[in-house]
Amino acid sequence: MRVLVTGGAGFIGSHLCERLLKEGHEVICLDNFFTGSKSNISHLLDSHGFELIRHDITQPVLLEVDRIYNLACPASPIHYQYNPVKTIKTSVMGTINMLGLAKRVKARILQASTSEVYGDPQIHPQTEDYWGNVNTLGIRSCYDEGKRVAETLMMDYHRQNGVDIKIVRIFNTYGPRMAENDGRVVSNFILQALRGEDITVYGKGEQTRSFCFVSDLVEGLVRMMEAPDFIGPVNLGNPCETSILDFAEKIIALTGSSSRITYKPLPADDPRQRQPDITLAKKRLAWEPKVVVDEGLMKTIEYFSSVISAG
């Protein structure tokens, strides 16, 4: 098939492009390089069937494709708060443009939504039927609300125009090709540990996250795209929950670092708990994560070690 991946030069997008090429598809990678990087896809540029287009999805694009994975949007607080208006435009106008394309060429479209649609959740773990607890006025709402509107748009285009849609809600994902400067806990902790710097924990470190290795997530995306009679939404993430403080201590142990842990105030609207209920993914996609956290972290540590060495 001919597959469009928006945000294809990003962390998750580049791994998805790689997987789709291995399966023999023609892949069009669309990216404006706001957070994506050419280095993430440089090894794919000579591949037969791979095409790179520099484009911002807030502007319409005319292409002939069979499948659309809509991953384009800054996904870390540092990046999406840098230009919040641009962030929400990407989720809203960008999704409208991709749905318009899907409608015209009768392509199936998968929307990469997020666990952030649950906000600071009042139920635990989070199931797909939970409507969430989002601060619509907060500094994170450009991302959270943008993604919620993107889900609304997907459903409305499906109901009104019969567009073939899929919605996945992605929980914390990590692995090689994460951006160094994205401010996420995995990259922050690993880089601080490798450099022997203090590891910064916000609050008391009691807040929890659940970390899914990127290859497991990509497997879930591909399965969802081809799942019959199921539009979602579906949670994709690792239900293995850990506190941030325990996670920092694990990184120190795995890197053999001499780093100490320091504490800073908790940022506004930072969710206290985050754990996916993946019952639906198991049932409808026969999917669950396979990579244990220590194994995935060692691969990620190796990647960041090579980044530091090259730098």
Side-chain angles (χ1 to χ4, degrees):
M1 285 185 287
R2 197 164 158 81
V3 185
L4 171 63
V5 181
T6 74
F11 159 48
I12 293 171
S14 62
H15 286 277
L16 178 60
C17 287
E18 209 169 55
R19 166 72 183 265
L20 294 168
L21 283 168
K22 280 181 184 165
E23 291 185 354
H25 301 297
E26 284 183 54
V27 176
I28 301 173
C29 167
L30 204 73
D31 208 295
N32 69 350
F33 296 105
F34 174 57
T35 57
S37 168
K38 281 189 180 167
S39 63
N40 287 341
I41 43 130
S42 57
H43 63 298
L44 304 177
L45 292 173
D46 294 331
S47 301
H48 177 68
F50 183 76
E51 190 178 342
L52 171 63
I53 301 174
R54 188 176 194 130
H55 183 82
D56 190 318
I57 63 164
T58 59
Q59 303 299 318
V61 63
L62 299 173
L63 297 163
E64 292 290 331
V65 292
D66 305 298
R67 297 282 188 269
I68 302 168
Y69 287 89
N70 188 30
L71 273 59
C73 188
S76 72
I78 284 177
H79 289 143
Y80 65 64
Q81 290 169 18
Y82 173 74
N83 188 338
V85 173
K86 178 72 173 174
T87 297
I88 202 159
K89 276 184 174 179
T90 302
S91 284
V92 178
M93 294 163 64
T95 301
I96 288 171
N97 286 332
M98 290 304 109
L99 281 161
L101 175 61
K103 179 185 168 186
R104 279 194 302 277
V105 301
K106 296 184 167 46
R108 178 177 293 169
I109 180 168
L110 179 146
Q111 171 63 25
S113 189
T114 171
S115 59
E116 298 296 339
V117 300
Y118 300 124
D120 189 2
Q122 293 174 326
I123 68 159
H124 192 74
Q126 292 80 57
T127 51
E128 289 85 353
D129 57 1
Y130 177 51
W131 289 356
N133 177 39
V134 174
N135 175 2
T136 61
L137 305 176
I139 57 169
R140 297 169 70 110
S141 57
C142 59
Y143 183 68
D144 304 1
E145 289 295 275
K147 290 288 191 178
R148 283 160 72 97
V149 172
E151 288 193 11
T152 303
L153 286 163
M154 295 287 286
M155 292 305 300
D156 286 341
Y157 267 78
H158 174 66
R159 284 186 286 247
Q160 184 175 321
N161 301 308
V163 175
D164 189 358
I165 67 161
K166 305 279 182 179
I167 301 170
V168 299
R169 290 176 179 161
I170 298 171
F171 283 69
N172 292 65
T173 306
Y174 71 101
R177 297 187 213 138
M178 292 184 84
E180 276 182 87
N181 59 346
D182 69 359
R184 295 191 210 204
V185 68
V186 176
S187 49
N188 273 7
F189 285 5
I190 290 175
L191 285 165
Q192 286 171 335
L194 289 173
R195 290 169 176 154
E197 300 167 356
D198 288 348
I199 288 183
T200 311
V201 168
Y202 292 94
K204 294 178 182 175
E206 293 170 347
Q207 66 274 37
T208 66
R209 294 294 182 269
S210 308
F211 298 100
C212 183
F213 193 65
V214 65
S215 61
D216 282 331
L217 180 78
V218 166
E219 177 67 30
L221 294 175
V222 171
R223 287 193 189 199
M224 181 57 174
M225 181 61 98
E226 301 308 325
D229 307 316
F230 181 47
I231 65 172
V234 66
N235 289 336
L236 293 180
N238 192 333
C240 182
E241 184 184 22
T242 180
S243 77
I244 294 300
L245 184 57
D246 287 348
F247 192 69
E249 288 168 349
K250 182 188 284 287
I251 298 288
I252 289 171
L254 289 174
T255 54
S257 175
S258 58
S259 294
R260 295 174 309 137
I261 294 171
T262 59
Y263 298 87
K264 287 190 176 178
L266 202 61
D269 300 326
D270 195 55
R272 290 161 300 168
Q273 291 182 302
R274 192 49 66 71
Q275 182 191 19
D277 183 313
I278 61 166
T279 306
L280 194 60
K282 286 180 179 175
K283 182 180 175 185
R284 299 302 300 266
L285 308 177
W287 177 88
E288 61 182 312
K290 297 284 193 289
V291 179
V292 296
V293 172
D294 283 26
E295 180 193 343
L297 283 175
M298 286 312 297
K299 290 179 180 176
T300 313
I301 289 164
E302 284 169 26
Y303 169 76
F304 279 117
S305 294
S306 67
V307 168
I308 289 172
S309 301

